[in-house]
Amino acid sequence: MTLATSRDTVLEDVAIRTVHLTKVYGRQVIAVNDLTFEVPRGVIFGFLGPNGAGKTTTLRLLLGLQRPTAGVAYVFGHRCGPNATAVRQRVGFLPTHPQFPGHLRPFEYLDLVGELCRIPADVRRPRIASLLRAVGLLPVADRRIRSLSTGELTRLGIAASLVGDPPLLLWDEPTAGLDPAARRFALDLIVELGRNRTVVIATHILADIDRVCNYVGVMHEGQMIFCGPMDEMKRRLDCDCFQLVLAGADENLHGFRRLLDGRTDLKVSWLADNTVQITTAPGTRRAQALAELMRLVDQAQLELSSIRSGVGATEDAYLQLLQEDRAHGFKRFQTPAASADASSGANPV
Amino acid sequence: MPLVALTRFELRTLWGGWLVRLWAGAAVLLNFLTLLSWWQVLPNSLLVATLLFPFLVFPWFLVIITLGANAVGGARLETLADGFLSRPITRLEFILASWLARAITVLAVFALAVLPVALIGIYADRPVVEEQVTVDGMIVASVLVVIVLLGLLSLGFLLGILLRNGWIALILAFFVWYPINVLLATFRVEEFSPISLNQAAPVVLRKSWFLPGERKEQVNLAALQEQFSEFMRNLMGPPQPQRRERGFFSTVNQYEDIQPARVGLSYGLVTILLTAGAYAIFYWRDL
């Protein structure tokens, strides 16, 4: 429900709301194209899209670092813009490759950020000490920022985004350039923070989205082609699939191949000598299809090393969305009336 | 609080860099060498004017423009945008802090390089012609020079933000500032030119600007001179426009008519306009 209170302020139960947001650079490059979407409060929102889709530009528009060519954006009901301190007071931003003043030390930098967030010293300093410990930067707290590694810089960026204890986090590719341990740390942190905050993760790494997000928006060529719960996106897949990793003698594997070749209700693709991906026909019950597959494995006297259901579901759904968007061609053009309908709906697509 | 925090950060960044440290060191050294070189030659007012020369004419204007031009641009802008402008501060606060830190730095280096040397030169027992330099004169001359320097800083600041590239801004500012003396002379406002100001400095230093008696006397003299001029105009017709001689330190008396308030207000207005222009450009900019 939306209550308009003034021209610039709208009270909403959503964290982010954009209406026909458009950004054109120099009347040449359309970075964000008539973008209308909403992010509910309290979700971990995966902001998906290929490189150049307009994710980062959208985040910068929300922060007021850039001005929209047309349209408006609201964060917790406050209109975004260059002087919208009320918006930035509620947002913790982590850029893709955060840049820091190298001559400062982590504590000094976070203290400065805290001052910019107008936090009193008696609240700020204990919080920063606690944050440094939480992100694992205590051992390097006495070093200058210029001597920190990429992973440590990302941790510092994370800490900086949390200094103001904001209810909304905008993290732009938080796992970019991180080693596996640092990546796991970042993803675990997102899940932890998502318990009492709205978190927006812009990335093109589907595995990250799959692991932590419960709400997703897919951008393509500056437009939001899907916005809704993660499960709904996965359900958009036309078919279900299973990936089986088998163990056994070569002749048994050949036997299994022959058994599958005879089935017209299954689409089979061998990923390796012992790994097969089986896609069931639309309308087939998953449990029934799986039981039948198990029977065939047993019949071929093979051992089942592992089985994964819904393999690549997010990736498949994502690619399918992009493909559908391209296939729509001119239908993607929205008339003002259609556009208004879309913006009033829950999932403008 | 953000304004103070940002200004403090900018000051720390500036004084942590080689440019300001080198400049401060070189300015102090140069002025001490100047003092030693002219110890037995120049009277007080001329000595102080000589100390002001590097700031008003050459070479420190280059450093001041560089300081202004490199404030907000290039890779630094990215750092600032991501690190600071994504926090709850306004762009006005950011611009003000950035300008303020540079202004404080310029003032600090000026004070460091000129004041101690000037005071030594004035109060030391030197074997030169006895000459009175007033406290008023010192204050007025210092304020004038500082306002000019802030104008120069603001020029670099505006060009740096406008062009986004510190080096291009520096080159452009150089071509704007260097011929300024010729340009001002062309429009018969030579009293605003930095060279003229430097040459007028001894006059400013010798005068007592704040004593009401002397001011009154000056006003009366001016009125008498105006009456005499009026009488001569009526008698002989309008005078031919006279070409003003460019004065040097030996002919400083030609600058008796300098009006510090006019010069100061003009440069002050230019400084405000340049800084406001820089803010307006920055406000409309995408980061």
Side-chain angles (χ1 to χ4, degrees):
Chain A
M1 182 171 171
T2 300
L3 296 171
T5 55
S6 72
R7 185 167 167 265
D8 288 349
T9 309
V10 180
L11 293 175
E12 296 184 10
D13 53 1
V14 295
I16 297 171
R17 180 165 181 256
T18 71
V19 182
H20 300 299
L21 195 65
T22 305
K23 180 66 188 175
V24 183
Y25 292 112
R27 298 188 182 185
Q28 290 169 15
V29 180
I30 303 170
V32 176
N33 191 345
D34 197 12
L35 184 68
T36 300
F37 77 106
E38 290 178 357
V39 176
R41 283 177 190 253
V43 299
I44 302 179
F45 184 85
F47 206 5
L48 264 176
N51 287 328
K55 305 183 296 289
T56 300
T57 305
T58 305
L59 295 188
R60 297 182 89 82
L61 287 168
L62 291 172
L63 285 162
L65 295 175
Q66 300 195 350
R67 289 171 170 280
T69 310
V72 285
Y74 299 94
V75 170
F76 295 118
H78 297 274
R79 189 172 178 156
C80 302
N83 283 338
T85 50
V87 168
R88 291 194 287 272
Q89 191 84 49
R90 291 164 173 78
V91 175
F93 177 56
L94 174 69
T96 310
H97 296 291
Q99 305 282 320
F100 302 101
H103 61 284
L104 297 185
R105 292 179 175 82
F107 191 96
E108 293 168 334
Y109 175 69
L110 295 178
D111 196 42
L112 174 62
V113 171
E115 279 188 271
L116 299 184
C117 294
R118 296 171 166 83
I119 305 168
D122 55 339
V123 177
R124 187 172 74 230
R125 292 194 172 136
R127 187 184 291 174
I128 291 169
S130 170
L131 266 176
L132 280 172
R133 186 165 179 270
V135 298
L137 283 180
L138 267 188
V140 296
D142 59 336
R143 277 167 49 189
R144 303 235 182 237
I145 292 175
R146 70 167 73 93
S147 68
L148 301 185
S149 68
T150 309
E152 288 164 343
L153 289 176
T154 304
R155 285 164 190 246
L156 181 60
I158 287 170
S161 74
L162 293 168
V163 166
D165 195 19
L168 172 65
L169 297 174
L170 299 181
W171 287 7
D172 194 1
E173 300 192 25
T175 56
L178 297 184
D179 61 42
R183 181 167 166 260
R184 167 168 278 196
F185 167 80
L187 293 176
D188 289 346
L189 189 63
I190 290 166
V191 174
E192 185 62 32
L193 293 168
R195 294 188 207 286
N196 53 6
R197 285 179 179 83
T198 309
V199 187
V200 175
I201 312 293
T203 184
H204 54 263
I205 304 171
L206 290 159
D208 292 353
I209 296 279
D210 212 11
R211 187 168 154 189
V212 298
C213 296
N214 49 24
Y215 216 86
V216 71
V218 180
M219 272 193 91
H220 184 226
E221 295 176 346
Q223 279 202 328
M224 191 67 82
I225 57 174
F226 176 83
C227 185
M230 191 76 176
D231 294 341
E232 192 179 313
M233 185 172 116
K234 288 180 180 174
R235 275 202 300 273
R236 289 173 62 91
L237 276 172
D238 286 339
C239 53
D240 290 319
C241 63
F242 301 97
Q243 194 180 88
L244 309 180
V245 180
L246 305 164
D250 286 347
E251 56 266 30
N252 293 344
L253 284 167
H254 287 301
F256 186 61
R257 272 178 189 256
R258 279 194 296 277
L259 285 171
L260 289 177
D261 287 344
R263 301 296 298 255
T264 55
D265 56 336
L266 300 175
K267 184 183 165 193
V268 180
S269 56
W270 284 87
L271 306 177
D273 286 345
N274 64 339
T275 308
V276 61
Q277 183 166 305
I278 295 161
T279 308
T280 58
T284 310
R285 285 176 52 232
R286 287 167 62 87
Q288 186 188 357
L290 188 60
E292 180 62 13
L293 277 172
M294 292 302 102
R295 193 185 63 76
L296 293 175
V297 170
D298 186 52
Q299 190 179 334
Q301 296 182 324
L302 289 168
E303 284 297 324
L304 188 62
S305 296
S306 74
I307 179 168
R308 291 166 71 189
S309 170
V311 173
T314 312
E315 186 178 329
D316 290 343
Y318 168 69
L319 294 173
Q320 187 181 317
L321 279 166
L322 296 188
Q323 203 173 3
E324 282 174 8
D325 186 54
R326 288 193 190 99
H328 280 152
F330 191 72
K331 286 179 192 168
R332 288 181 289 184
F333 174 69
Q334 285 189 323
T335 60
S339 184
D341 289 345
S343 64
S344 63
N347 301 309
V349 177
Chain B
M1 190 158 62
L3 182 69
V4 177
L6 270 177
T7 308
R8 218 171 40 230
F9 164 74
E10 288 279 356
L11 276 172
R12 189 174 168 185
T13 307
L14 283 169
W15 286 91
W18 60 268
L19 179 66
V20 171
R21 287 183 187 185
L22 208 64
W23 177 38
V28 170
L29 189 68
L30 183 67
N31 276 5
F32 265 107
L33 288 176
T34 305
L35 174 70
L36 292 177
S37 305
W38 298 105
W39 183 261
Q40 298 184 17
V41 182
L42 292 180
N44 290 343
S45 64
L46 294 183
L47 178 72
V48 176
T50 311
L51 297 177
L52 297 178
F53 182 86
F55 285 90
L56 277 174
V57 184
F58 188 82
W60 303 141
F61 83 93
L62 280 171
V63 180
I64 295 168
I65 290 175
T66 307
L67 277 179
N70 284 320
V72 184
R76 183 174 151 75
L77 182 59
E78 198 180 327
T79 308
L80 297 170
D82 289 349
F84 301 136
L85 288 166
S86 61
R87 316 292 170 202
I89 60 165
T90 62
R91 292 196 181 185
L92 180 63
E93 284 172 325
F94 176 76
I95 282 285
L96 267 183
S98 195
W99 185 88
L100 208 58
R102 277 153 185 81
I104 292 170
T105 300
V106 170
L107 295 189
V109 173
F110 175 75
L112 208 65
V114 174
L115 290 185
V117 184
L119 290 175
I120 292 170
I122 290 166
Y123 292 109
D125 186 17
R126 294 190 298 127
V128 290
V129 180
E130 196 72 23
E131 189 192 41
Q132 183 69 35
V133 170
T134 63
V135 176
D136 306 15
M138 279 289 285
I139 293 169
V140 171
S142 300
V143 169
L144 265 187
V145 175
V146 161
I147 292 174
V148 174
L149 297 184
L150 292 184
L152 195 56
L153 175 77
S154 303
L155 175 70
F157 198 68
L158 173 74
L159 291 176
I161 290 177
L162 184 68
L163 301 170
R164 289 176 182 238
N165 184 311
W167 290 111
I168 295 174
L170 174 63
I171 292 166
L172 188 65
F174 180 82
F175 282 110
V176 170
W177 186 252
Y178 207 67
I180 196 90
N181 299 297
V182 180
L183 201 70
L184 292 171
T186 306
F187 292 102
R188 300 194 176 186
V189 280
E190 201 187 352
E191 69 174 309
F192 294 110
S193 92
I195 290 177
S196 297
L197 281 176
N198 192 230
Q199 289 166 346
V203 177
V204 177
L205 288 162
R206 281 196 298 264
K207 276 192 179 178
S208 186
W209 298 94
F210 303 141
L211 289 177
E214 199 163 330
R215 292 288 291 174
K216 198 173 177 181
E217 190 186 337
Q218 281 174 10
V219 171
N220 291 340
L221 279 172
L224 276 173
Q225 192 172 347
E226 184 56 36
Q227 279 180 358
F228 179 71
S229 301
E230 185 68 22
F231 173 72
M232 292 302 285
R233 270 199 295 275
N234 291 334
L235 193 69
M236 304 177 73
Q240 292 293 314
Q242 286 184 341
R243 190 161 175 266
R244 189 171 179 171
E245 292 287 324
R246 289 193 69 185
F248 292 93
F249 289 154
S250 56
T251 56
V252 287
N253 287 337
Q254 287 183 348
Y255 292 94
E256 286 291 342
D257 57 347
I258 186 167
Q259 293 176 284
R262 203 163 89 109
V263 177
L265 285 174
S266 302
Y267 269 101
L269 187 65
V270 167
T271 302
I272 291 168
L273 288 176
L274 289 171
T275 313
Y279 168 65
I281 293 166
F282 192 67
Y283 181 75
W284 289 102
R285 166 155 301 167
D286 282 340
L287 302 171

